Amino acid sequence: MATDAVAQLADSLAKTQVVVGELSYKGKGLKLDNAESVAEIVKDIKEFQGLQALRLEGNTIGVEAAKAIAKALEDKSDFQFCYWSDMFTGRLRSEIPPALNSLGDAIMMSGARLRVLDLSDNAFGPDGVKGIEKLLKSTACHTLQELRLNNCGMGIGGGKILAAALTECHKQSSAAGAPLSLKVFIAGRNRLENDGATALAQAFQLMGSLEEIHIPQNGINHPGVTAMANALQHNPQLRVINFNDNTFTKKGAIAMAQALRHLRNVQVINFGDCLVRSEGALAISDTLVEGLPILKELNLSFGEITEDAALTVARALQDKAQLEKLDLNGNCLGEEGCSTLKETMENMNMGDLLGSLSDDEGEPEDDDEDDDDDDEDDEDDDEEVGEEEEEEEEEEENQIKPMTPPPSEARPPDVSSFLSFPSPDKLLRLGAKRAVLIEQQVDVNDAAKTAEAFLKVSSVYKDQDEEVKRAVLDSVDAILKKAFSSDSFSTFHFISSLLIMLGLLKSEEKVKPMRVVAGHLQAIEHAVQQDYFPQEHIAVLDAFMSRHSRACESCAGARDSLKSTLQRIRPEC
């Protein structure tokens, strides 16, 4: 009988993948639409005494199914761990908030005290944050230690809602004598941008309890980085700081370096793809000399750091006995600089700690160095530039207007006029056959001219104007369908020309890059998802878009959206 009992228990454990206090349905790919579909799960939950963790990752849960599961959780007062990432695949976004509300209400009713809430990879947007807002403010989250919201598409609005909820939770928990002490915060790929990051920074400063923060790829520029830096210095237990693929520039990097002076427990710093530049790297090296005694990993890759600054960083690490890795790949050292850096690390008996330098960008051109000082002002003046361009367009229209015949007599512009001086109005005035007219005008035997035409058409893209948006996409579709269907068309030359014109690839010839606007990247994002687009070039575009470039700084949101799409559709090797 004892043997049978053990066998039965083993079978039960294997069936539900249970560890102590945990019930797991992770990765089963279940499509759970209604109460009937979750009947067995509900039964298991009800029968599980002392349930502490429920894993629902990798399934898809509808509103009615969530309500049934929630009902089973209402008396689980020992519940602490919600592992609910990637559980709404294929669901309408409108389904997610009510599902989350039901689950949250059940947790609050049970009297549970959560330690981990993981809702990563659910792409629920700001509305999804509203679905957990009440839970986050409740006593159930006064004990929350880890909040994982990676790749949820929260946006600025969701970031602000989240920040307000955490602030309220801290206020209420403090009044109860046990302040919220969140230790781990993960929210990469959420398009928080400056306003979302700034709102969250205020909450983090208030809590002062973070040990790990991961917010890569959020389109955060130096104002948001600076706000975060000011907050982080009030979190003395920080061990891991991951801001990969945001845009520090000199101002943000210097602010972050100042914050690091106050932190003695940091072990991992990931500022890769953050464009810290040489001045930022030097500021960080000063901090390294004076502090960060137990640092293990430092990533300053793809930051436009030159040889001298890179060597200064390396030398500043000489006394870091616990260092395990230094990543300076993708910077601007040049062949000689890479050799000198390797030699310097070897002379300090740290040669094996230096990561690969295979993607070094080479020594910067003089023009690049001269432009560095101007970039900070360019970021601050983005909105002003946009206003000036609109004013210039208005002035141009006002100048032309006296010479233009009345509307009833106005001649539609020809395609060459539009391609020479693109504007949304000119595109629309080409009429219903605009796509055909443009496609006929473009010489698809010339890949470079085709790329140029693509960029000129896409430059007038307006996401908020459906008529213009449709006209642009129809036109680029017509151009690319014709080009890619031609046996003589060089798709490789087209992609190369496109990258050169966007300033993402250097040309041996003197080609002046265009000023990148969001429309360029939004049109590319559309094109790569069409049947006509060669799949073999998606990986190339992904590689270049993943490298930090000043060319795309002014349209970080469109850049991040394109990167996300490329990574999603990229063919498996």
Side-chain angles (χ1 to χ4, degrees):
M1 292 295 292
T3 303
D4 291 341
V6 171
Q8 191 174 17
L9 176 60
D11 181 67
S12 177
L13 290 172
K15 181 179 178 182
T16 55
Q17 300 177 28
V18 176
V19 294
V20 177
E22 178 181 287
L23 184 60
S24 177
Y25 298 90
K26 180 179 179 180
K28 290 184 175 291
L30 303 174
K31 190 172 188 295
L32 307 171
D33 296 322
N34 49 42
E36 291 180 358
S37 64
V38 294
E40 185 176 347
I41 296 175
V42 168
K43 179 175 178 291
D44 290 343
I45 293 173
K46 287 181 176 179
E47 293 178 353
F48 200 117
Q49 298 301 313
L51 179 67
Q52 294 183 0
L54 178 61
R55 307 196 78 109
L56 295 172
E57 311 103 305
N59 299 291
T60 175
I61 300 174
V63 176
E64 295 305 314
K67 287 181 179 178
I69 292 172
K71 186 70 176 174
L73 289 171
E74 286 181 356
D75 63 352
K76 300 299 177 183
S77 58
D78 294 326
F79 194 57
Q80 300 177 43
F81 304 94
C82 301
Y83 297 112
W84 296 346
S85 64
D86 188 24
M87 68 173 192
F88 294 115
T89 301
R91 300 291 171 185
L92 296 175
R93 185 169 288 187
S94 59
E95 294 181 82
I96 300 176
L100 290 173
N101 271 317
S102 296
L103 293 165
D105 288 346
I107 291 170
M108 289 185 284
M109 184 179 295
S110 72
R113 295 292 184 267
L114 294 184
R115 290 172 59 187
V116 176
L117 178 58
D118 184 357
L119 288 165
S120 297
D121 300 316
N122 279 311
F124 47 48
D127 290 341
V129 185
K130 291 178 182 177
I132 58 171
E133 183 179 10
K134 186 164 59 170
L135 174 64
L136 288 172
K137 292 179 179 179
S138 73
T139 55
C141 286
H142 285 188
T143 52
L144 193 64
Q145 294 181 10
E146 298 185 18
L147 180 57
R148 301 170 180 266
L149 297 169
N150 200 57
N151 192 30
C152 287
M154 290 189 289
I156 295 172
K160 289 182 176 180
I161 295 169
L162 178 62
L166 291 173
T167 299
E168 180 63 21
C169 183
H170 184 269
K171 177 182 176 182
Q172 296 294 338
S173 58
S174 297
L180 169 66
S181 297
L182 190 68
K183 294 180 180 179
V184 178
F185 180 79
I186 301 175
R189 299 178 66 184
N190 271 289
R191 301 186 195 176
L192 294 171
E193 301 185 18
N194 291 333
D195 289 348
T198 299
L200 284 166
Q202 294 170 355
F204 297 152
Q205 181 167 335
L206 187 65
M207 290 186 289
S209 56
L210 286 179
E211 295 180 10
E212 294 186 27
I213 179 169
H214 304 260
I215 51 172
Q217 198 175 330
N218 267 293
I220 307 171
N221 298 327
H222 72 78
V225 173
T226 300
M228 276 286 178
N230 291 336
L232 296 189
Q233 62 183 295
H234 295 279
N235 288 259
Q237 299 306 313
L238 264 171
R239 295 181 293 103
V240 179
I241 304 175
N242 178 5
F243 278 65
N244 188 279
D245 202 4
N246 289 289
T247 308
F248 283 29
T249 60
K250 179 180 68 177
K251 289 182 180 178
I254 291 174
M256 195 60 75
Q258 292 295 327
L260 291 171
R261 292 176 181 270
H262 299 269
L263 304 172
R264 305 286 296 176
N265 294 301
V266 174
Q267 297 177 27
V268 177
I269 296 173
N270 187 343
F271 296 159
D273 269 353
C274 284
L275 209 64
V276 298
R277 298 215 172 109
S278 295
E279 288 182 86
L282 290 172
I284 292 170
S285 68
D286 286 344
T287 300
L288 289 169
V289 171
E290 299 172 11
L292 301 171
I294 58 173
L295 186 67
K296 293 182 178 180
E297 295 183 21
L298 175 62
N299 184 345
L300 296 178
S301 60
F302 298 96
E304 292 191 358
I305 300 170
T306 56
E307 177 186 351
D308 289 345
L311 291 172
T312 302
V313 169
R315 292 174 183 131
L317 293 167
Q318 186 169 6
D319 296 326
K320 306 303 176 192
Q322 297 186 37
L323 189 71
E324 297 175 0
K325 184 177 181 181
L326 169 63
D327 191 346
L328 287 168
N329 197 18
N331 283 298
C332 305
L333 310 185
E335 186 175 347
E336 186 177 337
C338 288
S339 297
T340 304
L341 177 60
K342 290 176 182 177
E343 183 180 347
T344 299
M345 291 292 287
E346 288 169 0
N347 290 340
M348 297 188 299
N349 294 320
M350 303 173 89
D352 58 338
L353 307 184
L354 180 64
S356 170
L357 298 174
S358 60
D359 293 318
D360 187 74
E361 296 281 354
E363 294 182 49
E365 297 178 2
D366 291 339
D367 290 344
D368 293 340
E369 293 176 347
D370 293 340
D371 289 344
D372 283 356
D373 293 335
D374 299 330
D375 287 342
E376 303 289 343
D377 295 331
D378 288 346
E379 288 178 26
D380 293 334
D381 297 340
D382 275 345
E383 292 184 8
E384 294 178 18
V385 169
E387 292 170 2
E388 288 170 6
E389 287 177 351
E390 289 176 7
E391 290 172 4
E392 287 174 5
E393 286 180 8
E394 290 175 5
E395 289 175 7
E396 182 181 339
E397 289 175 3
N398 291 336
Q399 291 169 357
I400 295 172
K401 192 173 181 179
M403 301 173 60
T404 305
S408 60
E409 302 174 19
R411 292 171 52 198
D414 58 27
V415 176
S416 59
S417 172
F418 165 71
L419 291 176
S420 298
F421 302 99
S423 75
D425 180 60
K426 285 182 181 178
L427 179 62
L428 295 180
R429 284 168 56 202
L430 286 173
K433 295 184 178 180
R434 64 181 70 88
V436 175
L437 294 172
I438 293 172
E439 171 252 302
Q440 291 173 345
Q441 179 77 18
V442 177
D443 179 9
V444 296
N445 292 317
D446 189 322
K449 288 182 179 178
T450 304
E452 183 179 13
F454 172 87
L455 292 175
K456 285 189 173 182
V457 173
S458 60
S459 69
V460 304
Y461 181 102
K462 287 188 175 181
D463 200 34
Q464 303 304 317
D465 189 324
E466 194 60 38
E467 186 179 10
V468 173
K469 176 180 175 180
R470 191 69 262 160
V472 168
L473 297 182
D474 286 346
S475 299
V476 299
D477 281 343
I479 294 170
L480 296 185
K481 279 181 184 177
K482 181 179 179 182
F484 291 140
S485 64
S486 171
D487 293 336
S488 61
F489 186 74
S490 172
T491 58
F492 176 79
H493 188 193
F494 170 80
I495 296 295
S496 299
S497 299
L498 197 67
L499 293 170
I500 289 169
M501 291 175 189
L502 290 172
L504 300 174
L505 178 65
K506 291 182 180 179
S507 172
E508 293 180 2
E509 303 173 5
K510 285 293 182 180
V511 177
K512 185 178 180 181
M514 295 184 177
R515 180 177 180 271
V516 180
V517 296
H520 291 144
L521 306 183
Q522 288 163 323
I524 293 173
E525 182 175 4
H526 165 81
V528 298
Q529 299 179 78
Q530 307 309 307
D531 291 339
Y532 59 70
F533 196 89
Q535 293 293 297
E536 63 267 25
H537 295 314
I538 290 175
V540 176
L541 286 173
D542 183 26
F544 276 92
M545 292 309 304
S546 296
R547 297 166 67 179
H548 222 304
S549 170
R550 285 177 294 168
C552 298
E553 286 179 18
S554 63
C555 39
R559 177 202 65 192
D560 291 346
S561 179
L562 172 57
K563 284 199 291 187
S564 180
T565 296
L566 290 169
Q567 290 164 9
R568 175 173 55 81
I569 67 175
R570 179 174 176 171
E572 294 293 333
C573 297

